[in-house]
């Protein structure tokens, strides 16, 4: 039974990975006239492909196994964490390189999250209100904090960060998003201080938030939030 569960996790990771391939490589594939060229483009192993497609698949499967076999969480919740950590790799990569949070990746996250929430409510009907309450509260907490901050601090928080944390809160729930926020802010603050000491950044420079959020998610998985 354990092998079947791991196999399902692998298939889920591959399905999410296919969505990443479509997002990142669709334009390149369409430019190729012949099937051989299209396949070569899809399976081309450059640094970007490894970081935003292959690595997330591997880490996603590992995170599922940690949540399911170590922390004994219910299987749907494990899939939600697997999806969360997988989504944050490409989002973090793009935010680091381009300082944007792609809406299409957030839509992909929602497209997987909503069915998982429905499945979790179906398999655990006695917990359905708890699940919905936690997810909605998580979205309000994550999105609300950054939306409120953006109103107070001009040019401090982008709309992409607000949307990312809103979706992230929906994916993991109230308590986990609070922990992820805490980890991300601490790591971001320490990194900022170190960069200023090394004179790589000054107090007016901004740092991409998604990479620190990725680290926060990884810590949450390892700690078993």
């Amino acid at each position: 039974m354990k092998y079947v569960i791991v196999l399902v996790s692998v298939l889920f990771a591959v399905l999410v990975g296919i969505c990443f391939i479509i997002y990142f490589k669709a334009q390149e594939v369409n430019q190729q006239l012949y099937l051989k060229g299209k396949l070569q483009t899809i399976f081309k192993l450059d640094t970007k492909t490894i970081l935003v497609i292959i690595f997330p698949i591997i880490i996603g499967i590992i995170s599922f196994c940690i949540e399911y076999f170590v922390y004994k969480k219910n299987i749907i919740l494990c899939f939600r964490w697997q999806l969360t950590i997988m989504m944050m790799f490409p989002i973090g990569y793009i935010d680091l390189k381009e300082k944007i949070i792609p809406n299409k990746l957030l839509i992909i996250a929602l497209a997987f999250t909503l069915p998982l929430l429905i499945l979790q409510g179906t398999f655990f009907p006695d917990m359905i209100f708890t699940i919905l309450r936690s997810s909605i509260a998580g979205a309000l907490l994550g999105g609300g904090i950054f939306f409120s901050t953006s109103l107070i601090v001009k040019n401090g928080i982008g709309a992409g960060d607000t949307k990312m944390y809103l979706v992230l809160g929906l994916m993991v729930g109230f308590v986990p998003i609070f922990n992820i926020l805490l980890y991300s802010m601490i790591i971001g603050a320490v990194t900022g201080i170190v960069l200023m000491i090394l004179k790589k950044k000054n107090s007016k420079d901004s740092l991409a938030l998604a990479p620190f959020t990725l680290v926060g998610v990884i810590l949450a998985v390892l700690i078993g939030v």
Side-chain angles (χ1 to χ4, degrees):
M1 185 63 181
K2 291 182 179 179
Y3 297 109
V4 174
I5 291 172
V6 173
L7 177 60
V8 175
S9 171
V10 171
L11 294 175
F12 181 74
V14 170
L15 181 60
V16 177
I18 290 172
C19 293
F20 292 164
I21 291 173
I22 293 171
Y23 176 80
F24 285 104
K25 297 200 171 189
Q27 187 174 358
E28 294 179 53
V29 170
N30 289 334
Q31 290 173 350
Q32 300 294 326
L33 298 177
Y34 302 103
L35 179 61
K36 181 179 179 181
K38 293 179 184 293
L39 291 175
Q40 287 176 340
T41 301
I42 291 173
F43 293 104
K44 180 182 177 182
L45 288 179
D46 52 16
T47 303
K48 183 177 180 180
T49 300
I50 293 172
L51 289 175
V52 302
I53 298 175
I54 296 176
F55 205 57
I57 289 175
I58 296 171
I59 298 300
I61 296 167
I62 293 172
S63 70
F64 177 91
C65 292
I66 291 173
E67 295 297 297
Y68 188 79
F69 294 110
V70 177
Y71 293 111
K72 310 297 182 182
K73 295 182 180 179
N74 73 68
I75 189 169
I76 307 299
L77 185 57
C78 294
F79 281 124
R80 287 170 60 187
W81 276 107
Q82 179 179 359
L83 174 66
T84 302
I85 200 167
M86 288 186 69
M87 292 304 311
M88 285 310 305
F89 270 95
I91 291 174
Y93 177 86
I94 293 175
D95 193 27
L96 182 64
K97 294 290 185 180
E98 305 176 22
K99 297 292 179 65
I100 60 170
I101 308 293
N103 287 329
K104 289 182 180 179
L105 286 177
L106 296 179
I107 291 172
I108 291 173
L110 283 174
F112 280 98
T113 299
L114 296 178
L116 285 174
L117 289 173
I118 293 171
L119 280 174
Q120 193 172 3
T122 302
F123 284 109
F124 304 95
D126 55 323
M127 296 176 59
I128 186 167
F129 291 110
T130 302
I131 294 167
L132 290 175
R133 184 170 62 247
S134 176
S135 292
I136 294 171
L140 292 175
L141 174 64
I145 286 177
F146 285 94
F147 180 72
S148 301
T149 305
S150 68
L151 296 178
I152 299 170
V153 182
K154 292 184 178 180
N155 301 321
I157 300 294
D161 295 325
T162 302
K163 289 182 285 187
M164 177 183 71
Y165 264 93
L166 188 147
V167 173
L168 199 58
L170 186 69
M171 294 170 77
V172 299
F174 182 76
V175 174
I177 195 62
F178 178 82
N179 284 273
I180 291 170
L181 271 165
L182 179 63
Y183 304 151
S184 304
M185 294 301 104
I186 293 173
I187 296 166
V190 171
T191 302
I193 292 171
V194 171
L195 290 174
M196 284 191 288
I197 292 173
L198 297 175
K199 296 184 179 180
K200 300 290 185 180
K201 296 279 186 180
N202 59 55
S203 58
K204 295 182 180 180
D205 292 328
S206 61
L207 294 174
L209 182 60
F212 299 114
T213 304
L214 168 60
V215 178
V217 171
I218 292 172
L219 286 175
V221 169
L222 292 176
I223 295 170
V225 172

